[in-house]
Amino acid sequence: MAKILVIAEHDGSILNPSTAKTIACAAGIEGADIDVVVLAADASAVAAEAAQLSSVSRVLTVENAANEHPLAVVLAPQIVSLAGDYSHVFGPSNTFGKDLMPTVAALLGVNQISDIMSTHGSHSFKRPIYAGNVIVSLQAPEDSIVVATVRTASYKAVAGGNSAPVESVSVDVELPTHTRFVGQEAESSDRPDLQTASRVVAGGRALGSAENFDLIYALADKLGAGVGASRAAVDAEYVPNDTQVGQTGKIIAPDLYIAIGISGAIQHLTGIKDAGTIVAINKDEEAPIFEVADIGMVGDLFQIVPELTEALG
Amino acid sequence: MDKILVGLKRVVDYNVRVRVKSDGSGVETDGVKMSINPFDEIALEEALRIKEAGGANEVVVVSIGSSEAQQQLRTGLAMGADRALLVTCDEAPDVLTCARLLLEIVNREQPGLVILGKQAIDDDNAQTGQMLAALWGRPQATFASRIEIKGDTATVLREVDVGMETIEVDLPAVITADLRLNEPRYVKLPDIMKAKKKPLEEIAMADLGAGDSPEIVHTAYEPPVARERGVMVEDVSALLAALKDKGLV
């Protein structure tokens, strides 16, 4: 039987939606018994949220002032001290999980699996490589612990309605002080979060300037959508880094993705392949984005986008 | 600090569209252009800039792989690295083994800083730096977009999902380079000539004794399920109608 520990991602007060998707992956393994661990300074609010998620057997809390900010080198030894009771340890494949899970795996003396996109039994997985151009099937050894990150775009969050017990656990490990949190600048935005938005409007280099991105924001606001961008638009400093979608940016799966002035490099396409419907607006009819778009329109974005925004009333 | 160690991985070039072998046993790499992993190039550029600003005396590049990886190490030397090490092996080892081999190199070279790319664009794992830091018992600062070194600490601006995070780490440490850390320099012809004379030492993997790790077996390779090309619309009203059809607006 698979006994799976899922590492909760949170900001100290709210559970990140990535956790419910990571649990969904774990729950796809037959006979999975899933615990969630919340490592925090004060875990109460986050643990209460995690306890509501279906498929969760128990929520464990590890409270320590050192856990106020998620530093991998601080969290990892605590996770390792709990891992002995589990056959699998899962985290989300985003900057939180990618930073943390290899550290956990190395301390446990095992390899780590990145970006699980599907499970085929308890030790067989598929994951994308080469920017999603190739899917590889993996067989992990049955006699050692599986440490993995889950490609959250491949999973729908598990439902709520559960009331799993919350148990406080204490771990007795020495925590390093060689790594210190200094600060965080969150990009302040009232728009939906790119990674969880059901609709995303994204712009590329063809926008031509940061000012012209206002066209993207106006359409996004009309649709209640999150805003994304291609690497080219980010490199040109039209938009902040955290809007980048693709192999080295965010992997997203909105119901609707509208790509505007984005040619569709393979590295970008890997970030949107799980989107429900892809709409592409581009002046170049040969742009690769049209090969994957469900609805395509060739034309001048500076005419089309305002017209579309207007028409949406 | 005395020395910065930088990892360079030989990978299929960024611009190559890779194909799965017809028998599903792997990825076609015969006759395909190979390059330094782009994130590793950024890592090297950063190390060179630190050295050029007087922050280090020497930049050493290391690769793990077949003797063909000499090409990438020579490119690294042409960019400005002082010395190269190649841990030779026939088949690419798993990530944990790579991290253990790098730790052996670290123990030998005693660098004040190790900079690696945040991920390799072939396996997209994004694990090696974190594993090395864990095995070494030293700090890690992943996805770095700015590095400032003062005395025995480095302040690193990291690209995280919610925005930017700043952490401070004691040196020695492992830092992994993100896209926007810098723009790597172009290699000039005279530097390629000079690089031929720089030292490149080969070390057999077996001589480093990385030990065995539980192996994750790659059982099959396949192309992804392709999305199908959809419909093209002529004007905004047709676009809206198509979206309404799908219940999206």
Side-chain angles (χ1 to χ4, degrees):
Chain A
M1 193 177 77
K3 202 152 165 32
I4 304 177
L5 182 65
V6 170
I7 315 302
E9 181 184 10
H10 62 88
D11 65 359
S13 51
I14 296 170
L15 187 68
N16 190 293
S18 66
T19 305
K21 293 179 183 179
T22 305
I23 292 168
C25 172
I29 294 172
E30 206 183 323
D33 182 13
I34 302 167
D35 289 350
V36 176
V37 62
V38 180
L39 299 117
D42 172 356
S44 51
V46 175
E49 225 184 312
Q52 294 173 21
L53 296 174
S54 73
S55 309
V56 174
S57 299
R58 289 189 305 165
V59 176
L60 309 179
T61 61
V62 181
E63 294 186 313
N64 186 325
N67 293 340
E68 187 176 355
H69 302 288
L71 295 168
V73 295
V74 171
L75 301 184
Q78 301 175 68
I79 294 165
V80 167
S81 78
L82 298 172
D85 296 336
Y86 297 90
S87 59
H88 299 62
V89 184
F90 282 2
S93 181
N94 51 23
T95 56
F96 166 74
K98 283 182 185 175
D99 187 38
L100 174 62
M101 302 309 281
T103 315
V104 172
L107 293 177
L108 289 167
V110 296
N111 272 294
Q112 189 234 296
I113 298 170
S114 293
D115 307 310
I116 291 177
M117 59 188 285
S118 60
T119 57
H120 307 268
S122 59
H123 288 72
S124 297
F125 310 97
K126 286 189 182 186
R127 64 172 298 254
I129 56 175
Y130 288 95
N133 276 319
V134 178
I135 306 301
V136 63
S137 299
L138 304 174
Q139 179 68 42
E142 304 256 352
D143 55 357
S144 54
I145 189 166
V146 176
V147 179
T149 61
V150 172
R151 187 176 182 278
T152 51
S154 299
Y155 293 92
K156 293 246 178 281
V158 293
N162 191 6
S163 54
V166 177
E167 296 171 22
S168 169
V169 293
S170 61
V171 296
D172 186 21
V173 286
E174 202 180 324
L175 301 179
T177 55
H178 54 47
T179 304
R180 297 169 291 275
F181 177 88
V182 176
Q184 194 175 71
E185 297 164 45
E187 300 290 346
S188 62
S189 169
D190 297 333
R191 296 189 179 89
D193 174 58
L194 178 56
Q195 271 167 316
T196 50
S198 60
R199 296 164 169 187
V200 170
V201 179
R205 184 160 44 193
L207 267 297
S209 71
E211 293 72 38
N212 289 344
F213 243 82
D214 286 346
L215 292 174
I216 302 293
Y217 296 130
L219 177 57
D221 291 347
K222 195 59 87 58
L223 289 165
V227 168
S230 68
R231 178 185 166 187
V234 173
D235 282 353
E237 299 184 0
Y238 301 164
V239 276
N241 298 349
D242 62 0
T243 57
Q244 184 177 324
V245 173
Q247 181 187 20
T248 62
K250 288 177 179 163
I251 308 289
I252 59 173
D255 297 332
L256 173 63
Y257 185 76
I258 305 183
I260 297 169
I262 291 177
S263 63
I266 190 74
Q267 290 84 3
H268 183 77
L269 299 183
T270 193
I272 58 168
K273 63 196 284 282
D274 293 308
T277 296
I278 297 175
V279 175
I281 298 169
N282 203 297
K283 68 175 193 303
D284 175 11
E285 62 184 298
E286 302 291 320
I289 188 84
F290 288 123
E291 286 167 33
V292 300
D294 301 282
I295 305 170
M297 183 168 172
V298 178
D300 179 5
L301 72 90
F302 294 101
Q303 284 177 6
I304 295 169
V305 176
E307 201 183 321
L308 178 60
T309 307
E310 181 73 31
L312 284 164
Chain B
M1 75 187 82
D2 184 39
K3 203 182 288 181
I4 302 176
L5 183 71
V6 174
L8 298 184
K9 186 177 184 185
R10 172 185 165 92
V11 298
V12 173
D13 187 79
Y14 185 79
N15 291 307
V16 173
R17 191 154 191 166
V18 297
R19 287 195 171 75
V20 176
K21 286 183 183 166
S22 52
D23 63 358
S25 66
V27 171
E28 199 62 71
T29 53
D30 285 351
V32 166
K33 186 184 177 199
M34 304 295 283
S35 299
I36 298 177
N37 175 43
F39 290 98
D40 299 348
E41 221 175 335
I42 296 170
L44 174 55
E45 175 66 32
E46 194 66 16
L48 295 173
R49 290 185 189 188
I50 293 169
K51 183 191 161 191
E52 285 157 4
N57 298 322
E58 189 184 30
V59 174
V60 180
V61 285
V62 57
S63 192
I64 300 170
S66 69
S67 59
E68 290 174 313
Q70 282 187 12
Q71 291 165 20
Q72 282 63 44
L73 288 171
R74 288 285 172 207
T75 305
L77 293 170
M79 279 178 71
D82 298 288
R83 199 150 64 73
L85 300 171
L86 175 58
V87 178
T88 54
C89 50
D90 298 332
E91 280 183 30
D94 58 58
V95 184
L96 181 61
T97 302
C98 285
R100 286 173 173 164
L101 291 169
L102 289 174
L103 180 64
E104 294 299 324
I105 298 293
V106 160
N107 288 337
R108 219 175 93 145
E109 296 283 342
Q110 299 288 318
L113 178 63
V114 179
I115 315 181
L116 305 177
K118 76 160 177 178
Q119 76 190 68
I121 61 163
D122 51 3
D123 58 29
D124 283 331
N125 271 322
Q127 299 172 358
T128 312
Q130 297 88 309
M131 286 196 170
L132 172 61
L135 299 175
W136 191 11
R138 295 303 308 166
Q140 72 189 41
T142 52
F143 325 135
S145 132
R146 193 168 70 223
I147 302 171
E148 280 167 36
I149 293 172
K150 266 194 196 141
D152 291 333
T153 63
T155 303
V156 181
L157 188 66
R158 305 179 56 230
E159 291 199 23
V160 294
D161 288 332
V162 294
M164 304 301 287
E165 180 185 277
T166 305
I167 63 171
E168 188 183 74
V169 296
D170 293 339
L171 299 176
V174 179
I175 297 178
T176 74
D178 213 320
L179 268 182
R180 282 165 282 267
L181 182 58
N182 60 52
E183 205 157 310
R185 66 196 63 190
Y186 287 102
V187 172
K188 298 188 201 79
L189 190 62
D191 296 328
I192 295 173
M193 303 309 290
K194 258 189 264 174
K196 288 183 179 164
K197 297 198 180 93
K198 290 184 180 176
L200 192 162
E201 183 191 350
E202 292 198 8
I203 306 161
M205 177 176 151
D207 292 345
L208 288 174
D212 290 329
S213 57
E215 195 190 357
I216 293 166
V217 183
H218 293 202
T219 53
Y221 295 78
E222 60 191 307
V225 178
R227 286 184 79 102
E228 280 179 30
R229 202 184 169 102
V231 298
M232 297 301 285
V233 295
E234 291 298 322
D235 54 30
V236 168
S237 57
L239 174 55
L240 267 180
L243 287 172
K244 279 184 183 146
D245 256 10
K246 290 176 177 279
L248 290 165
V249 294

